[in-house]
Amino acid sequence: MAPLRALSSVLLLLLVQHARTARASTLEDTCRLVGTGGAQDYDFCVKTLGADPASATADELGLAVIALRMARATAKATGDHIAQLQAAETSPRWRLGLDECAKDYAWTVSRLGRAAKDFATGGDEDRLTEVTALLEVRGTPVRCDKMFAFWAGESSPLTDADRELDGVIELAFNILWHAVNNGAK
């Protein structure tokens, strides 16, 4: 009985290891496919998506939804940062700039939330719509910087962390683009 128990334990261990390898390879394979310029893009993809525990079991479409949700969370965090700046700001010109940025980020958060929900439940037509949505929200940090410069006449107070949105949106876009063009179901 002991040899049978030992054999079943070994088989179970091998199955668990195989499942981990298969899951990791889906994430890694997707990151290799969507990388646009070498190791840094691949590393960013693996690090970003790997931060969500659900990425361990996600297929390509699941990774696209995770990337959309992460982009939304990033936009929300920046919107929250803008709200903190607004609460402390006394300059009318700075307030105008921050108000414009807050509107753009609020729209971006809403659009990304809808995109993640629609993509998770939709068909191919919805997926094309969500790729378009990412094109619409891409560049939100740059637009905010320009609006702030226009209204306040100075550089935006957003930090590099606030500008991470473009990287996450680009990642989501690349995964969605690949999924749509390769007929992922």
Side-chain angles (χ1 to χ4, degrees), residues 4-159:
L4 185 56
R5 210 177 265 163
L7 181 59
S8 63
S9 294
V10 169
L11 286 174
L12 180 62
L13 181 63
L14 288 173
L15 285 172
V16 168
Q17 183 61 35
H18 175 71
R20 284 183 184 158
T21 303
R23 282 185 238 134
S25 69
T26 299
L27 172 61
E28 292 169 359
D29 289 348
T30 299
C31 288
R32 274 189 207 94
L33 289 170
V34 301
T36 57
Q40 184 176 6
D41 293 325
Y42 170 81
D43 292 343
F44 175 77
C45 179
V46 170
K47 179 183 171 192
T48 301
L49 294 175
D52 186 320
S55 69
T57 58
D59 60 8
E60 185 178 45
L61 295 180
L63 292 172
V65 172
I66 290 169
L68 285 166
R69 289 179 181 150
M70 288 180 152
R72 183 189 179 279
T74 302
K76 172 104 175 62
T78 301
D80 293 346
H81 180 226
I82 292 168
Q84 290 173 344
L85 293 172
Q86 285 175 300
E89 190 51 59
T90 59
S91 164
R93 293 180 61 145
W94 271 57
R95 286 195 62 81
L96 282 171
L98 290 170
D99 289 349
E100 291 300 316
C101 288
K103 288 178 197 172
D104 198 20
Y105 271 89
W107 177 80
T108 297
V109 167
S110 174
R111 191 69 179 104
L112 287 169
R114 195 171 104 221
K117 182 181 176 189
D118 290 350
F119 189 78
T121 60
D124 289 339
E125 200 170 289
D126 291 326
R127 291 182 186 135
L128 287 172
T129 301
E130 301 324 319
V131 168
T132 302
L134 285 174
L135 291 172
E136 293 170 355
V137 299
R138 192 164 50 174
T140 298
V142 171
R143 285 192 307 276
C144 176
D145 288 346
K146 288 180 180 180
M147 287 186 284
F148 192 85
F150 176 78
W151 288 106
E154 297 180 39
S155 296
S156 163
L158 295 183
T159 65

